[in-house]
Amino acid sequence: MLYPVYVHKDQDSAYGLTFPDFDGCFSAADDMQDIARMAQEAVEVYFDGEDLELPEPSSPEQWIGDDRFEGGYWLLVDIDTSKINSKSVRINISMPEALVKRIDAVAKKQHLSRSAFLAKSAEMALH
């Protein structure tokens, strides 16, 4: 499905990606050719383990005049919704307390829950 992604870039920054249809979902891409891949990954992580309904895509025209979306541009990105799994499965794992603290610190910096961080890390390791 084609979802609008607001792209903004300062001179010395990566391309910032904001998804108005997924409140609080955002990402960044160092190069333009990475925008679609990073958008897909961000949406997958956003829904991972959450009990959220997938919204119908809005259109960029709906967001005209919204102060949050000024100074950048819109892209329509094809999000493969078949890769979105909002049903979580509870697991119980054990690991050293120091490692859990390090995981929590990095997850917080990335604005992720511990579960989302671990799922994202596992996905990256499995690729």
Side-chain angles (χ1 to χ4, degrees):
M1 296 182 108
L2 292 175
Y3 280 92
V5 175
Y6 180 73
V7 180
H8 48 93
K9 183 172 185 341
D10 295 327
Q11 186 174 352
D12 297 323
S13 72
Y15 293 90
L17 311 177
T18 306
F19 308 81
D21 293 328
F22 312 117
D23 189 40
C25 182
F26 56 88
S27 187
D30 290 326
D31 298 304
M32 263 193 112
Q33 61 265 26
D34 294 330
I35 288 175
R37 180 177 59 82
M38 297 306 293
Q40 178 71 39
E41 180 181 301
V43 173
E44 288 177 30
V45 169
Y46 177 80
F47 280 94
D48 188 54
E50 300 296 329
D51 189 20
L52 301 171
E53 192 169 319
L54 185 67
E56 288 296 316
S58 64
S59 68
E61 292 81 14
Q62 289 176 250
W63 304 103
I64 291 175
D66 189 318
D67 293 341
R68 296 174 296 167
F69 308 116
E70 290 190 13
Y73 54 92
W74 290 98
L75 292 177
L76 292 176
V77 177
D78 191 13
I79 299 296
D80 183 354
T81 58
S82 70
K83 294 183 176 181
I84 295 173
N85 181 8
S86 61
K87 183 178 186 226
S88 62
V89 176
R90 187 168 195 71
I91 62 170
N92 185 16
I93 61 171
S94 297
M95 60 180 64
E97 183 178 2
L99 178 58
V100 172
K101 288 180 180 180
R102 288 176 45 214
I103 288 169
D104 289 346
V106 173
K108 183 177 180 179
K109 285 181 184 176
Q110 295 181 12
H111 305 286
L112 298 173
S113 66
R114 180 189 297 157
S115 293
F117 176 81
L118 290 173
K120 180 180 175 183
S121 299
E123 283 290 337
M124 290 172 59
L126 293 171
H127 284 311

